[in-house]
Amino acid sequence: AGKAAFLAKKDGTVAADDMWIQVGSTGGDVKLGRFEAADLFPLAQDTLVNHAGNVYGTNTLRGRKDGSQFHAAGTLNLSAGLSLELGVVENKTTAKGVRPVLSYLAGPLTARLGFEAGKYAPVGGASANDVRGVGATVGYDFGGFKLTGNIASGKTDAATRNNQNAFGVTMATGGLVVGLIAAKTEQAVGDLKVQTAYVSYSMPLFDIKGASWTP
């Protein structure tokens, strides 16, 4: 399998979104290119939420950081509904490390557990920081109503010992989504707490099959 998706920006430029190839079978596969691996802190409807501060979601080494980064993910299907994904990223200035994720799917239940370990340099950062973290997400579809819970805990930059924790819950029914997220970062200069509440609603776009817009 393969995919190439491009973004047409308002300033007239074009950028790559996803660009990857995937080779394998029902027992396992390897994915190479620019993409995002399994999400350990998912928001319903893939909603983009800008927080009023840092919220850690065990997704620092998830991928799709820049065009020069090597990213690979190997997935092994252990049994029906159970799989193990091992992601590897490598870039001298942006990010490097490993990220294994165990996923389980059985009827209305979905669950993921994983951790990440490596280094990551924020955009404009002078040097890479150590990253260590663990996260889990569990979702259950009650038939027309889906409830998802997320939890993440990590440590960034061993020199300053920044401990980060985040908790989230999302409720989705029909096109309506309501979510709450609470996060805390322990720093030498003082703790930073961030609380986020978001609502989104997905609606059909001009009756076009498969098309929707979500404010």
Side-chain angles (χ1 to χ4, degrees), residues 43-214:
L43 305 182
Q45 297 175 340
D46 201 20
T47 307
L48 175 63
V49 175
N50 291 319
H51 302 280
N54 183 56
V55 174
Y56 181 69
T58 327
N59 286 333
T60 305
L61 302 177
R62 187 183 171 201
R64 202 197 282 169
K65 295 298 182 183
D66 61 50
S68 61
Q69 175 179 282
F70 170 78
H71 187 200
T75 300
L76 180 63
N77 297 317
L78 303 174
S79 63
L82 182 65
S83 63
L84 175 64
E85 175 190 270
L86 177 61
V88 178
V89 295
E90 175 64 37
N91 184 286
K92 292 182 179 180
T93 59
T94 307
K96 62 188 328 181
V98 295
R99 186 174 181 272
V101 176
L102 188 66
S103 300
Y104 181 70
L105 172 63
L109 175 66
T110 58
R112 285 175 179 167
L113 173 66
F115 73 90
E116 59 184 6
K119 291 182 177 292
Y120 173 68
V123 177
S127 60
N129 299 324
D130 290 335
V131 175
R132 299 288 188 277
V134 62
T137 178
V138 177
Y140 195 88
D141 193 339
F142 293 91
F145 176 79
K146 185 174 183 179
L147 185 65
T148 303
N150 307 321
I151 184 172
S153 180
K155 180 182 293 185
T156 302
D157 193 352
T160 56
R161 297 178 181 274
N162 286 350
N163 297 319
Q164 305 175 95
N165 297 283
F167 306 91
V169 60
T170 301
M171 297 154 285
T173 178
L176 177 66
V177 171
V178 178
L180 299 171
I181 300 172
K184 179 181 180 181
T185 301
E186 299 175 358
Q187 305 174 109
V189 296
D191 296 347
L192 173 65
K193 296 181 179 180
V194 177
Q195 287 81 39
T196 303
Y198 69 94
V199 179
S200 64
Y201 191 77
S202 183
M203 295 171 283
L205 180 63
F206 302 127
D207 293 327
I208 300 174
K209 184 178 180 180
S212 63
W213 68 291
T214 307

Side-chain angles (χ1 to χ4, degrees), residues 1-7 15-21 32 34-35:
K3 181 179 180 181
F6 300 95
L7 301 175
D17 190 32
D18 276 344
M19 188 179 295
W20 50 263
I21 59 172
L32 300 169
R34 175 181 165 86
F35 60 94

